[in-house]
Amino acid sequence: MIRSMADVDVRQGLRKVLGQVQVAAGNRSPDLQDVKPRLVAVSKIKPAELILQAYEEGQRHFGENYVQELEEKGHNSLILENCKDIKWHFIGHLQSNKVNKVLAVPNLFMIETVDSKKLATQLNKNWPNFNPDSKLNIMIQVNTSGEQEKNGINPSEVQGLTEYVLKECTNLRLDGLMTIGQFGYDLAKGPNPDFVCLKQCRDDVCKKLGLNWKDIGLSMGMSDDFEHAIQLGSTNVRVGTSIFGHRPKKA
């Protein structure tokens, strides 16, 4: 049975998740202690009123999977009026013909799902038309699990796309690498191999391109595994259900 909006205590859920993030970060190895993980509250299929509650509790980063929903919420008068410092993350697959719709969203902070030179080129070319005074934060999406239904580049392609973004896309700022990973991984088997793979991709590309690994973030971990992801080095976790409650399946 799906809970109604009145049954969801967003503030309590958010406080609990933030506490879990803090504890997980505190349990990391010493070299990771100075990197504070960023919590992205995934608000897809949730109304503006619940976003407002989370914002009032101090949450600033929110993630949306669908272009139309990001458009609607980004231009929502309630959110525009009351959430001046909101930072939107687009975390779904972005098609070329919808790039401008996403770039036009007020307070767009990051696109976490760049998975081709074509998309990077289009974002780089079009972003100055919307916000010429800043760079657009992006992440490169890596398909670490090799599942056909998931988007993202192959781990072997990370260096090439990273190098392309850094050298050719002067209007973009590379925040790091992102993966969704396999759903329902059993942690009794050991560290999640998708998270280990993404970290290895980051370490390899930093070594080959002479980058500081602390400048290349890792977006990995969701409601059921974000604590484990943080302990493995995640700098950006996407949590929806644990904050907003379960969502109905999209038709």
Side-chain angles (χ1 to χ4, degrees):
M1 180 177 172
I2 297 167
R3 292 184 295 171
S4 69
M5 195 174 81
D7 295 331
V8 178
D9 191 335
V10 171
R11 299 173 194 273
Q12 182 180 3
L14 181 60
R15 286 194 292 266
K16 181 180 179 182
V17 169
L18 286 170
Q20 291 172 296
V21 168
Q22 188 174 5
V23 170
N27 290 332
R28 298 203 289 193
S29 58
D31 59 323
L32 295 173
Q33 287 299 323
D34 59 343
V35 182
K36 183 180 179 182
R38 174 173 56 215
L39 172 63
V40 178
V42 179
S43 46
K44 68 177 182 181
I45 319 182
K46 295 298 178 178
E49 289 78 9
L50 294 188
I51 294 173
L52 189 59
Q53 288 180 30
Y55 186 92
E56 289 172 348
E57 193 64 29
Q59 180 64 22
R60 292 296 178 265
H61 293 268
F62 291 83
E64 289 290 338
N65 285 64
Y66 308 114
V67 173
Q68 183 178 348
E69 198 171 354
L70 177 62
E71 273 191 294
E72 291 171 357
K73 291 175 180 174
H75 291 94
N76 181 285
S77 58
L78 185 69
I79 291 175
L80 285 172
E81 186 177 337
N82 295 285
C83 307
K84 303 288 188 186
D85 298 321
I86 197 168
K87 294 175 170 62
W88 291 111
H89 292 233
F90 185 70
I91 59 175
H93 180 58
L94 182 55
Q95 298 171 309
S96 297
N97 63 342
K98 295 184 179 179
V99 161
N100 284 349
K101 291 182 177 182
V102 172
L103 296 185
V105 171
N107 299 306
L108 178 68
F109 179 77
M110 183 183 294
I111 294 176
E112 294 197 22
T113 50
V114 175
D115 59 359
S116 68
K117 288 183 179 179
K118 178 184 176 182
L119 180 56
T121 300
Q122 192 170 356
L123 293 170
N124 181 66
K125 178 183 176 182
N126 294 13
W127 178 243
N129 298 330
F130 299 91
N131 201 330
D133 299 322
S134 71
K135 293 189 176 187
L136 173 64
N137 295 305
I138 68 147
M139 284 189 154
I140 291 173
Q141 183 175 1
V142 186
N143 186 348
T144 53
S145 63
E147 295 170 274
Q148 287 189 338
E149 65 272 20
K150 289 195 171 71
N151 296 298
I153 60 171
N154 188 285
S156 64
E157 300 172 299
V158 170
Q159 181 183 341
L161 185 51
T162 299
E163 198 165 12
Y164 180 79
V165 168
L166 293 175
K167 289 184 177 180
E168 305 296 334
C169 301
T170 55
N171 297 314
L172 306 181
R173 177 190 164 272
L174 180 63
D175 190 81
L177 308 178
M178 174 271 221
T179 192
I180 294 175
Q182 179 185 350
F183 291 118
Y185 175 74
D186 182 4
L187 292 179
K189 298 178 181 177
N192 188 317
D194 291 315
F195 299 164
V196 173
C197 177
L198 194 70
K199 181 178 180 296
Q200 189 63 54
C201 287
R202 192 269 312 274
D203 293 346
D204 288 346
V205 79
C206 286
K207 184 177 181 180
K208 290 172 181 173
L209 299 181
L211 306 173
N212 186 337
W213 66 270
K214 292 185 179 181
D215 294 333
I216 305 297
L218 297 174
S219 179
M220 56 190 195
M222 295 186 282
S223 280
D224 60 345
D225 56 11
F226 69 90
E227 293 167 285
H228 175 63
I230 287 172
Q231 290 181 2
L232 291 183
S234 180
T235 61
N236 188 85
V237 292
R238 307 177 302 276
V239 180
T241 303
S242 297
I243 297 172
F244 294 106
H246 289 281
R247 61 179 65 91
K249 291 190 180 298
K250 188 174 174 67

